[in-house]
Amino acid sequence: MAVVDPHSFTDSTHPFATHIHLSLYFDFPSFTIHGSALISLPGPYTGPLSLDTRSLNVHSVLEPRSNTPLQFSLSAPDPIKGSHLTVSLSNHSSVLIVYSTSPSSSALQWLSPPQTFNKTYPFVYTQCQAIHARSVFPCQDTPAARVCFSARLNVPRQLSAVMSARHIERRAPIAGEAAELVCGDSLWCAEGRVVEEFAMEQPIPPYLFAFAVGEIAFREVGPRTRVYAESVPAVLDSAAREFAGTEDIIRQGERLFGPYEWERFDLLVLPPSFPYGGMENPRMVFLTPTVIKGDASGAQVVAHELAHSWTGNLITNKNSEHFWLNEGFTTYAERRIVEVVQGEDAAVLNIGIGWRGLKEDIERFKDRMEFTKLKNKQEGVDPDDVYSQIPYEKGFQFLWRIERQVGRPTFDEFLKRYIDTFKFKSIDTETFLDFLKTNIPGIGNDIDLELWTEGVGIPPDAYEPVSSIYTKIVSLANEFNLGRMPREDEVADWKGQEWELYLESLPKSVEASQILSLDAHYRLSESKDYEVKVGFLQLAISSKCKDYYAEVEKTLKEVGRMKYLRPLYTTLVQGTGKEEEKVFAKRVFAEAREGYHPIAQGVVESILIKHV
């Protein structure tokens, strides 16, 4: 077997699919999708075809024109990769797989009505990165295998669907169009059902496949952008205000990186359980509601997801071992956009927060230094378990180092050439380095490229940002350790980012009385900005200030974003003398678990297994 990806059964000697057509019937009461996947190959092929699945019940594999059964086998599940579906083909150019998902699908979160804003209808959404598309449909689930797709989603009439694809139409079901499904025509064409049709004509990696189904409405915020959310006026209106400047962000991205290739840039604000800040699904970015802060600072997350439209979606890492190619480039691009849209101070604060996060995560992986490398080995490793800020921030630092060496105008020209050369391709670190050395001759003499990409830790020529506001905040944080609280006039114009950097720069443990005094002055535990609130609560836990444990519990139960869950649970259970906190963390997780996405459930479980 010629392995193309340590997290996939895909065989590089087999043809890669060119198109997948999906018919999906959503059965909300059973938390199940009955589906079929028509997989098209570049041409007739004879031999085995390897596909990834996880928790799928495969009912049949058919030759699509005649519906005659084809021989297939499904392996016992691997704990990381799932089950290997092997189909035997004989001069076939397509194959039809009939299957059903499982309620335990790792990509899907099914929300019951009480878990939604309106508490009237259910809701379901996907999160397929890193290796979870295989739990929604059988596929070559590696970023090396880009594919076009089309889909018919059969949903209850009261609900609507959105996808990372062009919407074609909403219509009545047609008898016979999905007759192969186990639900049959009787359910497909039942009273009260509608079909939503979509198409993605540009080849994308499977992890960018995405949909959401629920009581969804939208607001127009620009010529290329709608903001979608659950049909709650307050949520929609606050989201529309937060993201009103999106078109300006898109234009800045185009000035830096060339034309926006995806036509639409719509945003979907998901329920609070969404496990990430944002997910860069093409045409339909998914966002956590925690980025709506009321001061338009959520635009920084939008800038990051927009930047993925070039780096990540247009040019994609070949597999997770080269994840920095997606996230390092995108973090660099995000900060360039923020610098223009929000000013240099905002960009420098962003870099400073990232620098602190990088140092924290280098410390987190001190016993597994392999994962502090930009290019690392992940055989036998779940990519969700080693997810960190390192590919983002060390990757950013590497590109920033190159920019400083060659100058911004030269680097900007290089970036445009890079994007134009590799768009709609999946590449690895070696391909990038070869392109870099060809287009910037002698760069390897000035920068140790091997140390940056294959060395552990932070290279000596990485760079902590410098600006008057950054220096002032770090200085005030140092003074707090000596007992001096920042004066009101010193913080009068601070927004969330300034407070976030301040809290990041404080010692990890201070006197409980200092925590109480800081909060009495500035009400950080009540902040509407979760970056600030969680930073403060982390400090309170580290300082054994139990006055705030009720607020910690409330926070862990109301949001599912892993950026907040991971540090709060880890701070509770890591280290000695934490018996009471461990009992508290286990109880809170047991009560909150059902409200988390399966990916977040797995991350918290691994923290508790390691430390409790």
Side-chain angles (χ1 to χ4, degrees):
M1 184 174 183
V3 176
V4 70
D5 185 328
H7 302 121
S8 173
F9 293 110
T10 301
D11 190 322
S12 63
T13 64
H14 299 175
F16 285 177
T18 55
H19 189 275
I20 299 176
H21 175 69
L22 297 168
S23 296
L24 304 175
Y25 178 92
F26 288 73
D27 186 5
F28 278 91
S30 68
F31 304 137
T32 301
I33 297 170
H34 300 301
S36 69
L38 175 60
I39 299 174
S40 299
L41 304 176
Y45 169 69
T46 297
L49 182 68
S50 291
L51 300 169
D52 295 301
T53 72
R54 179 186 289 124
S55 305
L56 295 184
N57 184 4
V58 178
H59 303 298
S60 59
V61 177
L62 307 170
E63 194 289 314
R65 282 187 294 276
S66 63
N67 271 4
T68 52
L70 296 175
Q71 190 178 346
F72 72 94
S73 64
L74 194 62
S75 74
D78 174 271
I80 295 171
K81 294 192 285 190
S83 295
H84 182 181
L85 174 60
T86 307
V87 180
S88 297
L89 300 180
S90 178
N91 202 35
H92 294 106
S93 55
S94 59
V95 59
L96 181 65
I97 301 168
V98 182
Y99 67 95
S100 299
T101 65
S102 157
S104 63
S105 165
S106 59
L108 295 169
Q109 184 171 24
W110 300 84
L111 299 174
S112 61
Q115 293 174 295
T116 65
F117 282 110
N118 271 350
K119 308 195 181 306
T120 308
Y121 297 109
F123 195 100
V124 65
Y125 69 90
T126 55
Q127 172 54 41
C128 289
Q129 195 178 41
I131 52 170
H132 302 284
R134 65 194 68 182
S135 69
V136 183
F137 60 101
C139 59
Q140 294 159 318
D141 194 6
T142 167
R146 302 175 74 99
V147 66
C148 301
F149 73 86
S150 54
R152 298 186 192 118
L153 278 59
N154 185 307
V155 303
R157 183 181 292 148
Q158 307 95 317
L159 308 183
S160 55
V162 295
M163 282 195 90
S164 56
R166 178 172 60 86
H167 186 254
I168 297 171
E169 65 174 335
R170 178 181 171 97
R171 59 168 175 79
I174 300 168
E177 67 180 345
E180 73 279 356
L181 299 193
V182 292
C183 63
D185 269 351
S186 59
L187 287 179
W188 184 267
C189 297
E191 185 69 27
R193 304 291 297 194
V194 296
V195 168
E196 302 252 28
E197 280 203 64
F198 298 87
M200 169 49 75
E201 286 106 348
Q202 295 151 302
I204 61 170
Y207 73 79
L208 292 177
F209 174 88
F211 61 69
V213 179
E215 190 186 17
I216 297 170
F218 66 85
R219 297 280 188 271
E220 300 278 359
V221 295
R224 292 180 267 192
T225 306
R226 289 174 171 177
V227 173
Y228 291 81
E230 286 189 71
S231 187
V232 181
V235 175
L236 284 162
D237 292 341
S238 61
R241 283 192 299 273
E242 190 79 19
F243 306 125
T246 299
E247 180 61 24
D248 189 30
I249 294 172
I250 299 171
R251 286 180 184 151
Q252 294 302 334
E254 289 185 310
R255 284 192 190 108
L256 285 167
F257 311 116
Y260 180 76
E261 299 265 2
W262 305 94
E263 188 185 5
R264 299 285 306 172
F265 184 71
D266 292 326
L267 309 170
L268 171 66
V269 178
L270 282 158
S273 58
F274 184 59
Y276 292 101
M279 182 62 212
E280 65 270 17
N281 307 309
R283 300 182 65 105
M284 183 64 68
V285 166
F286 283 13
L287 294 169
T288 167
T290 63
V291 302
I292 302 173
K293 301 174 184 180
D295 60 2
S297 63
Q300 292 201 8
V301 174
V302 171
H304 184 90
E305 304 313 330
L306 170 76
H308 268 304
S309 303
W310 291 275
T311 53
N313 297 8
L314 265 189
I315 305 175
T316 307
N317 53 230
K318 203 170 206 172
N319 60 50
S320 291
E321 295 181 333
H322 307 273
F323 188 46
W324 80 273
L325 287 170
N326 277 21
E327 296 300 350
F329 270 95
T330 299
T331 303
Y332 175 85
E334 167 205 344
R335 286 167 182 161
R336 291 290 303 278
I337 294 169
V338 166
E339 187 180 298
V340 175
V341 175
Q342 296 188 336
E344 197 171 337
D345 276 350
V348 170
L349 285 177
N350 191 312
I351 295 167
I353 292 164
W355 175 257
R356 302 270 158 175
L358 173 60
K359 291 171 77 172
E360 276 184 22
D361 273 351
I362 296 288
E363 174 66 20
R364 178 181 145 208
F365 286 100
K366 65 185 178 186
D367 298 325
R368 295 191 291 169
M369 290 298 282
E370 176 68 23
F371 303 112
T372 69
K373 300 175 181 177
L374 287 183
K375 175 190 163 192
N376 51 64
K377 293 181 171 60
Q378 294 189 17
E379 182 67 46
V381 174
D382 187 330
D384 290 333
D385 288 346
V386 294
Y387 179 85
S388 77
Q389 293 181 68
I390 293 167
Y392 295 72
E393 297 299 342
K394 187 175 177 180
F396 162 79
Q397 285 283 342
F398 180 33
L399 298 173
W400 200 28
R401 174 69 184 88
I402 298 168
E403 184 211 282
R404 291 199 304 276
Q405 185 64 41
V406 302
R408 182 168 280 187
T410 299
F411 193 57
D412 282 355
E413 283 305 308
F414 168 79
L415 278 179
K416 283 181 177 167
R417 274 200 307 279
Y418 170 69
I419 291 165
D420 197 49
T421 301
F422 294 109
K423 64 183 181 183
F424 296 111
K425 292 187 173 77
S426 300
I427 67 168
D428 57 20
T429 301
E430 289 70 28
T431 304
F432 166 73
L433 291 176
D434 288 344
F435 187 79
L436 175 68
K437 287 183 277 193
T438 300
N439 284 270
I440 305 179
I443 190 70
N445 299 326
D446 300 312
I447 300 173
D448 189 335
L449 302 177
E450 187 175 335
L451 177 68
W452 268 100
T453 53
E454 299 188 40
V456 300
I458 303 175
D461 50 345
Y463 190 69
E464 184 172 10
V466 177
S467 78
S468 56
I469 183 70
Y470 179 81
T471 305
K472 176 189 170 187
I473 291 168
V474 173
S475 173
L476 285 171
N478 291 336
E479 290 178 9
F480 183 83
N481 204 26
L482 303 172
R484 184 170 103 72
M485 191 81 58
R487 298 191 312 270
E488 289 190 20
D489 62 297
E490 291 174 309
V491 302
D493 57 350
W494 282 15
K495 296 191 179 74
Q497 230 179 358
E498 286 86 349
W499 278 112
E500 186 184 353
L501 178 61
Y502 179 78
L503 291 167
E504 286 261 0
S505 304
L506 291 175
K508 291 304 166 212
S509 181
V510 296
E511 293 297 322
S513 59
Q514 289 178 285
I515 299 287
L516 291 163
S517 179
L518 182 64
D519 196 43
H521 276 83
Y522 298 114
R523 300 290 178 202
L524 301 181
S525 66
E526 300 166 19
S527 175
K528 297 282 190 289
D529 186 328
Y530 276 90
E531 312 288 336
V532 175
K533 182 180 195 172
V534 170
F536 176 81
L537 293 177
Q538 230 185 312
L539 192 64
I541 297 166
S542 297
S543 306
K544 290 191 173 288
C545 189
K546 294 180 182 174
D547 302 60
Y548 294 100
Y549 281 23
E551 193 60 44
V552 171
E553 178 170 351
K554 178 171 172 282
T555 302
L556 289 170
K557 287 181 174 179
E558 69 188 6
V559 297
R561 187 178 177 185
M562 292 190 294
K563 185 177 185 180
Y564 309 140
L565 302 184
R566 185 182 272 115
L568 288 177
Y569 278 110
T570 301
T571 309
L572 281 169
V573 300
Q574 192 174 47
T576 55
K578 294 279 193 80
E579 294 316 308
E580 192 179 329
E581 286 85 351
K582 289 175 181 180
V583 170
F584 171 75
K586 284 175 71 176
R587 176 183 64 76
V588 171
F589 178 57
E591 294 170 9
R593 186 182 188 281
E594 285 307 306
Y596 297 160
H597 186 279
I599 295 172
Q601 290 176 4
V603 164
V604 177
E605 282 163 358
S606 67
I607 291 168
L608 297 181
I609 287 166
K610 183 177 178 182
H611 296 291
V612 175

